[in-house]
Amino acid sequence: QVQLVESGGGSVPAGGSLRLSCGASRRILGINVMGWYRQVSGKQRELVASMTSGGSTNYADSVRGRFTILRDNGKNTVYLQMNSLKPEDTAVYYCKMTSLQNTYWGQGTQVTVSS
């Protein structure tokens, strides 16, 4: 059973930065899309950023220009560099990896931005 393990969450003041990382417990073949989602209690999980194997990216309007998604295909790892954080970025962040056969989710990591 493949597990995605996230790290890098924490608490920062507004304007600060964090870098989230997500790696697979074992190699996954044929990953097409890697992405990050976030969820606030009582609300739906929403896409933050994603990147295809070809390097195409997609960002939520609310984070474009502040967040950057990066991936290391050889290591089955995806990163989310978050700069200029705002209190409204506070959420649990989840990574997701999608192959032709399966979709994998991380366990989530809390990001808290104080005003």
Side-chain angles (χ1 to χ4, degrees), residues 57-75:
T57 57
N58 184 31
Y59 291 95
D61 289 342
S62 60
V63 307
R64 188 174 290 112
R66 300 187 297 121
F67 291 11
T68 303
I69 187 169
L70 304 162
R71 63 187 279 176
D72 185 330
N73 292 324
K75 296 182 179 179

Side-chain angles (χ1 to χ4, degrees), residues 1-2 10 27 35 39 73 77 108:
Q1 184 77 8
V2 175
R27 184 162 180 80
Q39 188 170 22
N73 292 324
T77 301

Side-chain angles (χ1 to χ4, degrees), residues 7-106:
S7 61
S11 298
V12 295
S17 297
L18 284 173
R19 183 180 176 98
L20 304 182
S21 299
C22 173
S25 59
R26 63 175 179 81
R27 184 162 180 80
I28 305 171
L29 297 178
I31 296 177
N32 181 21
V33 181
M34 293 185 180
W36 289 93
Y37 290 70
R38 66 187 181 187
Q39 188 170 22
V40 176
S41 181
K43 295 188 177 181
Q44 284 191 331
R45 192 171 297 187
E46 63 175 4
L47 173 69
V48 176
S50 65
M51 180 182 282
T52 68
S53 56
S56 297
T57 57
N58 184 31
Y59 291 95
D61 289 342
S62 60
V63 307
R64 188 174 290 112
R66 300 187 297 121
F67 291 11
T68 303
I69 187 169
L70 304 162
R71 63 187 279 176
D72 185 330
N73 292 324
K75 296 182 179 179
N76 281 176
T77 301
V78 61
Y79 307 92
L80 186 67
Q81 179 65 43
M82 305 186 293
N83 298 328
S84 303
L85 282 161
K86 304 176 180 180
E88 50 264 43
D89 294 319
T90 295
V92 178
Y93 284 70
Y94 299 87
C95 66
K96 177 184 177 183
M97 296 186 186
T98 304
S99 69
L100 289 176
Q101 292 81 24
N102 290 293
T103 297
Y104 306 91
W105 286 94

